[in-house]
Amino acid sequence: MMLLLLLAIVGAYATAWWLLENLIIPAAIITWSSLRLSASRKKSLAQRYGKWAVITGATDGIGKGYAQQLANKGMNLVLISRSEAKLNKVSQEIRIATGVEVKTIVADFSHGEPIYENIREQLESIDIGMLVNNVGVMGRLDAFETLSQQHHLQIVNVNVLSVLLMTHIVLPKLKKAARGIIINISSGLAVFPGPYVASYSASKSFGHSFTLALQEELRGSGVECQLVVPGFVRTNMIENLSFKNIGGRLLPDVHQFCASATWLIGKTDQTAGHWYQGLWNVLSNLVPFSIRKRVTGLIFKHLLAGQTDKVKRTSL
């Protein structure tokens, strides 16, 4: 009898904390922040944070989606990507559609540390209010040791070093102005291991932990730091995978995801970005970690068999 009572108490305690952490607190934070922002005189993103948003990996996928949504909300843009032709095309499209100012910086983040001095110089005179660290590369699915050293170093340069050094360039400007926000696009694979994309999931874990630590450092400074942890979004990154196995057309496309994610800017410091992604996060937290890790391994092993030879660069 005592054992049953103890189990009931433990079960009730665990359920209460799960509901509090996964449903009640997130909903309360978003609701309160929405009401507070509705009452604020600084209702636009440009008024709250500053006129310019810097976006890395801005010519495809989530980066391009953020650029379009932020421009629609009246923010001027600095778009950073490796392809000058794509930068010109996207910037022209956004200028025509929204009338905002758009600057571009050509930079290949896979080249590592040498590219950042030029980025620093070009951002020096710009009144930055927002940084979206989005650029990312996943590459091919395969066993860790079969992929080249260059492949793994490219992932570190693009997914880890970009977050670290872009933040290092922009953050002093935000702190000096005592306003602004850094948005780091992570991945669902940051919170549990991704077999056959081991270096990718590990690289995203860096940004995840870095953002959570930075949030505490910046508390009270006027500068915000938001962590976005999406699952799969219909972008070029998953074009070379077996689509039906990861949710098919139920997955949000880039427009749907970025419309939701940009609406959540300033309303919560951590989000999945879209209700569909959030639902999966809540449901996955009901499953023991050891089982989730095993299931993820089986899913990616199956995806490995169905991938093409294409390698896409954008953010998951």
Side-chain angles (χ1 to χ4, degrees):
M1 188 65 181
M2 287 298 296
L3 179 59
L4 290 175
L5 180 60
L6 180 61
L7 290 173
I9 293 172
V10 170
Y13 177 82
T15 301
W17 272 109
W18 183 89
L19 288 171
L20 191 67
E21 187 174 55
N22 289 278
L23 296 175
I24 298 171
I25 291 178
I29 289 173
I30 292 172
T31 301
W32 169 248
S33 298
S34 298
L35 292 172
R36 179 174 52 83
L37 291 173
S38 295
S40 172
R41 294 181 180 179
K42 297 181 178 180
K43 292 184 178 181
S44 74
L45 292 178
Q47 288 173 321
R48 282 152 52 194
Y49 298 119
K51 295 181 179 180
W52 288 86
V54 178
I55 306 172
T56 65
T59 56
D60 288 298
I62 290 174
K64 182 179 178 181
Y66 260 82
Q68 291 168 330
Q69 292 294 330
L70 292 176
N72 287 337
K73 297 177 188 297
M75 294 202 73
N76 298 327
L77 305 175
V78 180
L79 308 181
I80 307 178
S81 187
R82 61 176 178 161
S83 170
E84 185 173 7
K86 284 187 175 182
L87 279 170
N88 291 337
K89 181 175 183 293
V90 172
S91 62
Q92 183 69 5
E93 289 174 357
I94 291 174
R95 284 192 192 100
I96 292 172
T98 65
V100 302
E101 292 185 60
V102 184
K103 300 179 184 293
T104 61
I105 300 174
V106 178
D108 189 337
F109 288 96
S110 68
H111 291 171
E113 192 272 339
I115 70 168
Y116 291 94
E117 188 56 38
N118 176 56
I119 294 175
R120 186 185 297 274
E121 290 175 1
Q122 295 202 51
L123 293 180
E124 183 63 34
S125 62
I126 298 173
D127 181 23
I128 300 169
M130 182 182 299
L131 169 64
V132 182
N133 279 316
N134 162 77
V135 68
V137 61
M138 182 166 69
R140 285 185 57 83
L141 277 70
D142 218 332
F144 174 80
E145 75 281 359
T146 64
L147 295 166
S148 68
Q149 176 177 297
Q150 182 182 6
H151 170 93
H152 296 301
L153 288 176
Q154 181 187 56
I155 285 176
V156 171
N157 282 338
V158 176
N159 297 358
V160 176
L161 202 62
S162 68
V163 175
L164 195 68
L165 295 187
M166 286 302 301
T167 302
H168 198 263
I169 290 170
V170 172
L171 182 55
K173 295 168 71 70
L174 302 186
K175 291 189 78 172
K176 184 177 181 180
R179 53 99 178 108
I181 185 169
I182 296 169
I183 300 171
N184 291 332
I185 311 297
S186 183
S187 166
L189 290 177
V191 294
F192 54 91
Y196 305 104
V197 285
S199 53
Y200 172 79
S201 64
S203 71
K204 286 298 184 178
S205 294
F206 169 86
H208 192 99
S209 179
F210 174 74
T211 307
L212 295 178
L214 204 58
Q215 287 173 356
E216 294 306 312
E217 284 191 30
L218 295 175
R219 196 175 297 280
S221 69
V223 180
E224 300 172 29
C225 191
Q226 186 188 56
L227 177 64
V228 183
V229 191
F232 285 107
V233 177
R234 277 188 270 146
T235 69
N236 286 339
M237 180 172 279
I238 65 170
E239 188 178 283
N240 62 330
L241 303 179
S242 181
F243 202 76
K244 291 181 181 178
N245 295 320
I246 51 176
R249 292 295 160 181
L250 290 175
L251 295 176
D253 61 23
V254 169
H255 174 77
Q256 293 165 332
F257 176 82
C258 292
S260 173
T262 54
W263 179 81
L264 288 163
I265 293 173
K267 296 182 175 72
T268 178
D269 60 8
Q270 182 170 342
T271 177
H274 188 274
W275 69 264
Y276 181 82
Q277 315 288 8
L279 177 62
W280 274 107
N281 287 350
V282 169
L283 294 176
S284 68
N285 286 335
L286 292 171
V287 181
F289 182 82
S290 58
I291 296 176
R292 275 187 283 163
K293 185 173 71 169
R294 176 63 175 161
V295 170
T296 304
L298 293 173
I299 290 172
F300 274 87
K301 189 172 184 178
H302 190 59
L303 292 175
L304 173 63
Q307 76 176 345
T308 70
D309 291 328
K310 297 178 182 179
V311 175
K312 296 292 185 178
R313 291 183 58 166
T314 183
S315 269
L316 174 64

